[in-house]
């Protein structure tokens, strides 16, 4: 029997969901066949995350029908979804930081026990190692996950999806923090699952992954399903137009700046791990930072942004000694950081959008340095939100209610009112759709044109090469090379990342 004549494994239709009068889903639908890898795409705020949460039992639909194997089902909780054979890799890792890797992999499941009814730690570690082995990954199972790198934490969250045999695997931005090697391992696992007749729902803003992996694609826009097509019958340009309602002529906006005088000088900066780092940054320049996971990109930006105290070295900003004792000191000096971990380090999730944008700008929004001018706060928030094309019901909406991509936009929007001398961007477009990503690139270009020096650390080499004037490659904590971005290709950068640039 041909695949297109096989009854759907899972069929979702007429799904509606509102939050305080805002329609997150206005009739969303999705049909998944057995043994297919099905892409789900759309702008941030299109309804993808809400639909996934309904499948996971995290949220209940206001209307609509879910049919599994021809039978209507209710998914009222995460345990219901698990019982039905659904497994999830969520965009937000949802790990317990003080639990170790094994405890997190089997979180929410029954831990193996011994004859005394106590947790059998040896068996738990054996099963966890088996889950990680599917991904060709080894990592310390007994360490609290808070001590592991973001990439290692991502592999734990992915391995958790393979702790039980499932029928449907839902993967929401699973490659966001992975190295190229880890991505290839994950893709190999997906191919094995497909060969065994498993169904994968794959959500990603990386269109190259979708065209490599997937059989069909569902496109969502403004809470509705607007198209379903075979991957073979479409192309990236057509998908982008369906998602955002317009064509993107170029992936990156034209540069408006010409690097001028030196604004930042770093000499022998020692963060306690790896080699000391030395480099310079000019006003109006975008310095891309490339490197494998663990190469030291994030720790460098944290040291410059006052989030960690370096052990040695010297930094000068505009010719004066710069040694921030805290992120607040860095902000006052005009060095602004967009952190990699938005939920932990960039946002107050229970507070509204306007309050989050106001936090680093309270001095300019206060009357007599005591009372916050709420009207001015709201006006500033609206202007910043419009700059990043934020989608929300209002500026008072809690940030925790937003999609991951819109949360990232709020982090970025906080710095729009500031007069940035140096802007530190750590994975600034992770989880952001192609349309909004272009808008963020325009903001980066505009800030560089106004004279800010930009340091952009990203695992997306296309992003680094598309924006940067120079590329600083980091390896084992130090600087491997600093290259002119003109004419530079990804293969050359990767060779430097692996320490093979001179071979």
């Amino acid at each position: 029997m041909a695949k297109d004549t096989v009854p759907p494994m899972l069929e979702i239709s007429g799904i509606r969901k509102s939050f305080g009068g805002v329609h997150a889903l206005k009739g969303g639908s999705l049909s998944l066949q057995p043994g297919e890898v099905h892409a789900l795409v759309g702008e941030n705020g299109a309804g993808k995350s809400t639909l996934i949460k309904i499948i996971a039992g995290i949220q209940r639909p206001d209307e609509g029908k879910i049919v599994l194997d021809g039978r209507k089902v209710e998914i009222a909780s995460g345990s219901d979804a698990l019982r039905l054979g659904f497994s999830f890799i969520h965009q937000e890792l949802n790990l317990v930081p003080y639990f170790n890797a094994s405890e997190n992999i089997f979180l929410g499941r029954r831990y193996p026990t011994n004859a005394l009814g106590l947790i059998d730690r040896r068996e738990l570690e054996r099963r966890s190692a088996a889950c990680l082995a599917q991904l060709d990954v080894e990592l310390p199972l007994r360490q609290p996950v808070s001590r592991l790198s973001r990439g290692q934490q991502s592999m734990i969250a992915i391995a958790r999806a393979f702790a039980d045999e499932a029928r449907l695997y839902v993967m929401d931005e699973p490659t966001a923090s992975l190295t190229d090697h880890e991505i290839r391992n994950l893709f190999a696992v997906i191919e094995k699952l497909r060969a065994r007749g498993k169904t994968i729902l794959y959500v990603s803003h990386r269109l190259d992954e979708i065209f490599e992996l997937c059989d069909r694609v569902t496109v969502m826009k403004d809470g509705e399903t607007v198209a379903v097509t075979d991957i073979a019958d479409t192309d990236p340009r057509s998908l982008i137009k369906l998602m955002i309602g317009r064509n993107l002529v170029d992936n990156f906006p034209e540069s408006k700046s010409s690097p001028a005088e030196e604004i930042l000088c770093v000499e022998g900066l020692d963060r306690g791990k790896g080699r000391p780092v030395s480099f310079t940054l000019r006003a109006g320049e975008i310095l891309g930072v490339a490197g494998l996971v663990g190469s030291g990109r994030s720790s460098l930006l944290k040291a410059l942004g006052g989030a960690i105290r370096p052990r040695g070295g010297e930094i000068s900003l505009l010719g004066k000694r710069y040694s921030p004792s805290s992120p607040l000191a860095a902000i006052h000096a005009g060095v602004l950081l967009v952190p990699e971990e938005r939920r932990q380090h960039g946002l107050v999730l229970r507070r509204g959008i306007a309050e989050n944008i106001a936090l680093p700008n309270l001095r300019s929004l206060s009357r007599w340095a005591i009372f916050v001018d709420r009207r001015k706060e709201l006006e500033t928030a609206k202007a910043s939100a419009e700059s990043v094309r934020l989608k929300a019901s209002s500026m008072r909406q809690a940030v925790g209610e937003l999609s991951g991509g819109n949360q990232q936009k709020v982090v970025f929007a906080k710095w729009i009112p500031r007069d940035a001398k140096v802007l530190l961007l750590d994975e600034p477009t992770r989880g952001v759709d192609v349309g909004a990503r272009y808008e963020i690139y325009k903001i980066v270009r505009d800030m560089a044109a106004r004279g800010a020096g930009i340091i952009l650390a990203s695992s997306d080499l296309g992003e680094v090469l598309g924006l940067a004037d120079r590329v600083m490659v980091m390896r084992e904590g130090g600087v491997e090379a600093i290259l002119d971005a003109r004419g530079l290709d990804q293969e050359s950068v990767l060779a430097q990342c692996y320490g093979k640039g001179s071979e």
Side-chain angles (χ1 to χ4, degrees), residues 87-89 93 131 135 153-163 171 174-175 178 182 186:
S87 190
F88 296 84
I89 300 169
L93 301 183
C131 292
L135 298 162
Q153 292 175 7
S154 294
M155 297 311 291
I156 291 169
I158 293 171
R160 185 165 58 193
F162 305 126
M171 304 183 180
T175 63
L178 304 186
E182 291 166 340
L186 176 61

Side-chain angles (χ1 to χ4, degrees), residues 49-260:
S49 295
T50 302
L51 187 62
I52 289 171
K53 288 176 181 177
I54 287 172
I55 298 172
I58 297 170
Q59 293 173 352
R60 301 289 298 274
D62 300 329
E63 296 180 29
K65 184 169 60 173
I66 303 175
V67 176
L68 179 66
D69 296 329
R71 179 173 58 89
K72 185 177 179 180
V73 296
E74 299 282 343
I75 309 176
S77 65
S79 58
D80 284 349
L82 189 63
R83 177 177 50 81
L84 293 171
F86 301 167
S87 190
F88 296 84
I89 300 169
H90 293 288
Q91 184 177 350
E92 303 301 339
L93 301 183
N94 297 322
L95 302 176
V96 180
Y98 47 84
F99 279 15
N100 64 31
S102 295
E103 291 165 340
N104 271 285
I105 288 173
F106 281 87
L107 194 66
R109 296 169 170 84
R110 186 181 295 276
Y111 289 163
T113 56
N114 57 26
L116 300 176
L118 302 175
I119 296 174
D120 188 334
R121 295 286 176 180
R122 182 174 297 178
E123 178 63 14
L124 180 63
E125 290 180 8
R126 186 193 67 78
R127 294 184 188 181
S128 299
C131 292
L132 289 165
Q134 295 184 65
L135 298 162
D136 193 25
V137 170
E138 291 185 11
L139 51 81
L141 295 175
R142 298 182 182 180
Q143 275 194 23
V145 298
S146 60
R147 298 181 185 175
L148 303 180
S149 71
R150 169 77 186 196
Q152 289 174 316
Q153 292 175 7
S154 294
M155 297 311 291
I156 291 169
I158 293 171
R160 185 165 58 193
F162 305 126
D164 293 312
E165 186 79 7
R167 300 183 57 199
L168 169 66
Y169 294 87
V170 180
M171 304 183 180
D172 190 0
E173 300 286 351
T175 63
S177 299
L178 304 186
T179 64
D180 288 340
H181 175 70
E182 291 166 340
I183 290 171
R184 302 321 309 177
N185 290 343
L186 176 61
F187 285 3
V189 172
I190 290 173
E191 292 296 345
K192 290 177 183 177
L193 292 172
R194 172 162 40 195
R196 288 163 48 196
K198 308 297 183 181
T199 301
I200 294 95
L201 179 61
Y202 195 87
V203 185
S204 179
H205 291 304
R206 297 181 176 181
L207 296 186
D208 56 333
E209 294 181 356
I210 286 169
F211 279 87
E212 178 178 351
L213 277 177
C214 299
D215 303 301
R216 292 191 301 151
V217 57
T218 291
V219 184
M220 296 190 70
K221 181 176 175 59
D222 298 329
E224 299 179 283
T225 299
V226 296
V228 182
T229 184
D230 288 346
I231 287 292
D233 295 335
T234 189
D235 56 65
R237 187 179 295 272
S238 299
L239 277 188
I240 290 171
K241 189 171 183 180
L242 285 169
M243 284 190 284
I244 68 177
R246 67 186 191 278
N247 287 311
L248 288 181
V249 178
D250 298 302
N251 290 329
F252 300 94
E254 185 179 353
S255 175
K256 302 176 182 179
S257 62
S258 297

Side-chain angles (χ1 to χ4, degrees), residues 343-416:
R343 292 173 66 90
Q344 293 183 35
H345 304 135
L347 298 167
V348 183
L349 296 175
R350 294 186 180 183
R351 293 291 185 177
I353 295 165
E355 290 177 282
N356 272 272
I357 293 175
L359 276 175
N361 304 294
L362 289 175
R363 182 174 294 179
S364 64
L365 298 175
S366 299
R367 290 176 291 178
W368 308 298
I370 300 175
F371 304 106
V372 175
D373 186 333
R374 295 300 180 186
R375 181 184 59 80
K376 194 173 182 180
E377 175 190 75
L378 192 58
E379 290 174 353
T380 299
K382 285 181 177 178
S384 296
E386 288 174 4
S387 297
V388 296
R389 297 178 71 242
L390 180 68
K391 291 186 176 181
S393 59
S394 77
M395 292 299 99
R396 301 301 181 194
Q397 183 179 3
V399 170
E401 296 175 0
L402 301 176
S403 66
N406 278 308
Q407 289 177 3
Q408 181 72 337
K409 293 180 192 178
V410 175
V411 177
F412 207 96
K414 292 193 306 182
W415 302 130
I416 299 300

